[in-house]
Amino acid sequence: MTAGFSSSSRRWILFAFSLASVALATGLIYGWPALRRQLVQDDGSDLDEKQLGAVFTVGAWSTQAMRFFFGMARDRFGTQRVTFVSFVLVALGLAGVALSDPSDGIVLAVSLFAIGCGSGVQICIQPVAGLFPSYSGTILSSLSGAFQVSGVIFLVLCSGDGSRQPAFLMFTACLSVFAVFSLILLPKGKSFILEEDNVDEKSTQQGQTKIDDETARLNRSKNIYLEEINGLQSMQVEHVKTDVDYARMNMRQWRQKNMYLMYLEEAKEEKYASGIKESSESTLVEDQQPLTALQQMKSLEYILLIFWFSVCVFPLQYYV
């Protein structure tokens, strides 16, 4: 839907939406201490420390582990649909926290699991950095910072003196609006770059270099030819008084050759300019050979990541 905007306006709109989405939906689970304090002190929850730790662990596991599954879903179904589903799950989780009994550990755990699925939003919209090739590192770091900011949301929602229900339901409505906007603003496919703008920069530079080289060669040929014509014209001046018709004939020949040279130069430039897109597309097809999901799961990095979260992170988070 943002295709109607100019390229510059479109990318800034997408970045602003992405930044706000990450800040509001992705790392909510890390605001658990504020929610836990309200459940225990204000709402009189009967859950003991182990049960509360288990509830948080479910949400923390969801936040980290579901990234992989949302990433695979994005590759298959596209950015727009998967982001929408992630927003809906977070909204449902927030509604569950708002309406659940403070002593119902199962409902709270399921709700926090759904809230943890908000990390799928970040996975889906991180490629927005591709719209800023010169500042992709800055864009990614700002999105990571927004993820940390989202941990403050629970603190804000639990800061009131009354029940948590109105604040959580209001925030649920806010994220529902973001879900609708994700269907309007985000691309249906995997790339944030429009097809007409999806030209490989390296191939474009190579095509431009070819054009410059060919233009320089044609200019040299043109200069040599003009020198020959100038010599011919000087010879014509010597004979013009004796043979006017002969001079006119040579001038016509010079004009015809000059027009042919200009036509040849334009044809060469048009040929190389039209060849840029074909060269770019062939280069993109050759360069883009993504790994399958199974190949990624067999990689050493993925195995070590699973080991880290299973052995180190989860037991530590359980006793937070």
Side-chain angles (χ1 to χ4, degrees):
M1 293 295 291
T2 54
F5 296 97
S6 65
S7 178
S8 178
S9 300
R10 174 182 176 274
R11 65 176 186 169
W12 283 110
I13 290 173
L14 286 174
F15 172 66
F17 176 77
S18 301
L19 193 66
S21 298
V22 174
L24 294 177
T26 58
L28 300 177
I29 190 65
Y30 296 110
W32 165 255
L35 177 59
R36 175 187 174 280
R37 183 172 58 253
Q38 186 175 54
L39 290 173
V40 174
Q41 297 180 3
D42 299 340
D43 299 337
S45 175
D46 296 332
L47 299 176
D48 57 29
E49 290 299 325
K50 289 185 177 180
Q51 291 173 320
L52 291 171
V55 170
F56 172 71
T57 300
V58 170
W61 183 90
S62 172
T63 301
Q64 300 298 335
M66 293 303 292
R67 293 172 182 266
F68 177 75
F69 298 102
F70 274 102
M72 290 195 300
R74 176 183 174 274
D75 291 338
R76 182 175 179 84
F77 302 107
T79 301
Q80 187 184 88
R81 298 182 199 177
V82 179
T83 304
F84 174 78
V85 170
S86 183
F87 269 123
V88 170
L89 288 174
V90 177
L92 291 175
L94 289 168
V97 171
L99 302 176
S100 65
D101 186 286
S103 299
D104 193 338
I106 295 179
V107 175
L108 286 174
V110 173
S111 298
L112 288 186
F113 180 90
I115 291 174
C117 291
S119 60
V121 173
Q122 184 180 16
I123 292 299
C124 289
I125 63 180
Q126 272 186 335
V128 73
L131 297 176
F132 303 85
S134 299
Y135 304 97
S136 58
T138 303
I139 299 301
L140 291 174
S141 62
S142 63
L143 293 177
S144 298
F147 175 81
Q148 304 299 326
V149 170
S150 62
V152 182
I153 299 297
F154 276 1
L155 179 62
V156 175
L157 296 178
C158 297
S159 60
D161 296 332
S163 172
R164 68 181 184 280
Q165 185 174 8
F168 274 83
L169 290 179
M170 187 178 299
F171 190 59
T172 300
C174 175
L175 289 189
S176 300
V177 173
F178 269 76
V180 174
F181 271 104
S182 69
L183 295 177
I184 299 174
L185 298 176
L186 297 180
K188 293 182 179 180
K190 294 180 288 185
S191 176
F192 279 72
I193 302 175
L194 296 177
E195 292 184 1
E196 55 266 28
D197 296 332
N198 191 17
V199 178
D200 187 78
E201 183 177 357
K202 181 178 179 181
S203 300
T204 303
Q205 293 176 350
Q206 291 176 349
Q208 185 62 42
T209 301
K210 291 181 179 180
I211 293 176
D212 294 340
D213 293 342
E214 184 65 19
T215 302
R217 188 186 66 79
L218 290 174
N219 286 334
R220 289 194 298 269
S221 300
K222 181 178 179 180
N223 292 334
I224 295 174
Y225 182 76
L226 289 178
E227 291 178 359
E228 295 177 355
I229 294 299
N230 289 334
L232 180 62
Q233 286 179 321
S234 62
M235 294 175 62
Q236 292 173 355
V237 172
E238 296 178 359
H239 297 282
V240 69
K241 294 181 180 180
T242 58
D243 196 349
V244 175
D245 294 335
Y246 177 74
R248 289 178 178 176
M249 180 184 66
N250 286 333
M251 289 298 294
R252 284 197 299 271
Q253 292 177 350
W254 177 80
R255 290 193 185 97
Q256 291 174 355
K257 291 182 179 180
N258 194 32
M259 291 177 63
Y260 174 75
L261 181 62
M262 293 175 62
Y263 171 79
L264 179 63
E265 182 178 350
E266 292 176 356
K268 290 287 185 180
E269 292 182 359
E270 182 179 356
K271 177 182 178 182
Y272 281 102
S274 61
I276 292 177
K277 186 175 181 180
E278 297 178 359
S279 175
S280 302
E281 291 177 352
S282 62
T283 303
L284 286 172
V285 172
E286 294 176 358
D287 293 342
Q288 293 180 352
Q289 296 180 353
L291 296 175
T292 64
L294 182 60
Q295 290 174 329
Q296 294 179 25
M297 294 176 67
K298 290 181 178 179
S299 65
L300 179 62
E301 292 84 356
Y302 179 74
I303 295 174
L304 292 176
L305 186 64
I306 294 296
F307 176 80
W308 167 257
F309 283 118
S310 301
V311 177
C312 299
V313 177
F314 296 151
L316 290 176
Q317 289 181 338
Y318 185 86
Y319 293 103
V320 169

